[in-house]
């Protein structure tokens, strides 16, 4: 994949732009390729790449880069933190090794037995093993955790996830965002709240930033779509809806059909003219 992009950028940059635009417009890959590179059949691509790799000419750009010396801090991990890492490893895919949810739960239980206020262990047990409709039962526990770790963004996210009070949820998310402004879960939580409260500009900005981190993309994209339609950004909303309907998993396509049905067209906002 790296060689293909390198080949297209260096030898056929305009064709690469057309290919990228066609794929972004949700055309099937084979159709997009035929439109952008009609003279290069896919079954001849390996031959062209081999030839380019062996005898190609490459564009090289040099830039001065100043890298500050890193500041390295070392600390000993607690036993509870080790159990949390072990739990993650039990659920991480590896060749020839099946995930073991039971072993992961046992590691989290060990971590919480050592440190009941361990944010990572509590968060993973809540999010992995507890249905969302049961989360409010743990509101008191998450408040104790945030009291123990007031500068941990994840602790504030747990408060937001378990609280039944809208104002408390927003306050917790804002505090989490102030501690770490680049957490997709926090950005997405605020975007969803802003969307429900008709704060569409804020919701769009937050969802767009959250998507840039490449995590939980589908639900964030649905929020982005709703904000775009509410703001009358119809061209963007139409393209995004096509992408979600074409490439999203079935649950996402179902949600898109509900929040942006094809039978209800997007209405572009009128731009107010100058006052007389």
């Amino acid at each position: 994949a790296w060689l293909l992009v390198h080949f297209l950028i260096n030898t056929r940059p305009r064709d690469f732009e057309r290919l990228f635009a066609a794929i972004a417009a949700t055309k099937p890959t084979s159709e997009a390729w035929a439109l952008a590179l009609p003279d290069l059949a896919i079954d001849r691509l390996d031959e062209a790449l081999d030839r380019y790799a062996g005898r190609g000419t490459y564009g090289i750009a040099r830039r001065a880069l100043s890298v500050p010396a890193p500041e390295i801090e070392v600390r000993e991990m607690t036993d509870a933190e080790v159990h949390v890492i072990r739990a993650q490893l039990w659920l991480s895919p590896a060749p020839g090794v099946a995930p073991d949810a039971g072993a992961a739960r046992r590691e989290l239980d060990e971590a919480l037995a050592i440190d009941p206020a361990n944010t990572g262990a509590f968060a993973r047990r809540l999010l992995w093993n507890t249905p969302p409709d049961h989360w409010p039962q743990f509101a008191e526990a998450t408040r104790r955790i945030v009291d123990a770790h007031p500068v941990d963004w994840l602790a504030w996210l747990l408060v937001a996830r378990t609280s039944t009070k809208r104002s408390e949820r927003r306050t917790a998310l804002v505090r989490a965002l102030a501690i770490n402004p680049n957490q997709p879960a926090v950005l997405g939580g605020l975007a969803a709240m802003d969307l429900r409260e008709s704060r569409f500009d804020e919701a769009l900005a937050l969802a767009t930033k959250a998507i840039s981190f490449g995590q939980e993309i589908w639900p964030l994209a649905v929020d982005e779509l709703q904000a775009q339609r509410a703001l009358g950004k119809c061209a963007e909303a139409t393209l995004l809806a096509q992408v979600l309907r074409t490439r999203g998993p079935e649950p996402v396509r179902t949600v898109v059909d509900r929040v942006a049905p094809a039978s209800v067209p997007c209405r572009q906002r009128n731009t107010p003219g100058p006052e007389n």
Side-chain angles (χ1 to χ4, degrees), residues 229 234 237-238 245 256-267:
R229 283 174 63 93
C234 296
T238 299
R245 288 193 175 97
V256 171
D257 289 337
R258 175 171 55 81
V259 302
S263 59
V264 181
C266 174
R267 297 189 181 278

Side-chain angles (χ1 to χ4, degrees), residues 116-187:
N118 184 280
T119 310
F122 192 93
R124 285 160 179 79
R125 193 167 72 172
L126 182 76
L127 301 178
W128 293 351
N129 305 128
T130 309
D133 57 340
H134 291 175
W135 289 354
Q137 300 175 12
F138 299 91
E140 284 299 324
T142 59
R143 291 189 187 96
R144 288 194 297 271
I145 289 175
V146 85
D147 287 342
H149 304 284
V151 293
D152 186 338
W153 71 268
L154 183 56
W156 286 107
L157 179 64
L158 290 173
V159 172
R161 292 288 177 87
T162 57
S163 176
T164 58
K165 299 177 181 178
R166 180 182 301 178
S167 61
E168 188 175 50
R169 290 200 304 272
R170 178 174 287 280
T171 298
L173 289 171
V174 169
R175 291 193 176 186
L177 190 67
I179 295 168
N180 192 331
N182 296 320
Q183 285 296 332
V186 178
L187 293 163

Side-chain angles (χ1 to χ4, degrees), residues 185-260:
V186 178
L187 293 163
L190 281 169
M193 291 197 73
D194 283 338
L195 194 62
R196 287 192 294 271
E197 296 169 10
S198 300
R199 297 158 55 94
F200 301 119
D201 284 306
E202 293 86 345
L204 180 58
L206 289 164
T208 301
K209 181 178 179 179
I211 287 173
S212 70
F213 294 99
Q215 301 175 25
E216 301 293 334
I217 288 178
W218 297 120
L220 289 168
V222 171
D223 288 346
E224 185 178 39
L225 171 62
Q226 293 182 80
Q228 287 173 344
R229 283 174 63 93
L231 292 168
K233 297 180 180 293
C234 296
E236 296 94 326
T238 299
L239 179 59
L240 181 54
Q242 289 175 351
V243 171
L244 293 174
R245 288 193 175 97
T246 304
R247 300 181 183 176
E250 180 60 35
V252 169
R253 296 199 295 269
T254 300
V255 174
V256 171
D257 289 337
R258 175 171 55 81
V259 302

Side-chain angles (χ1 to χ4, degrees), residues 9-30:
I9 288 177
N10 274 288
T11 64
R12 309 181 65 154
R14 292 185 178 178
D15 295 337
F16 177 71
E17 291 176 2
R18 284 195 290 269
L19 177 66
F20 189 85
I23 292 175
T26 71
K27 293 185 181 299
T29 303
S30 57

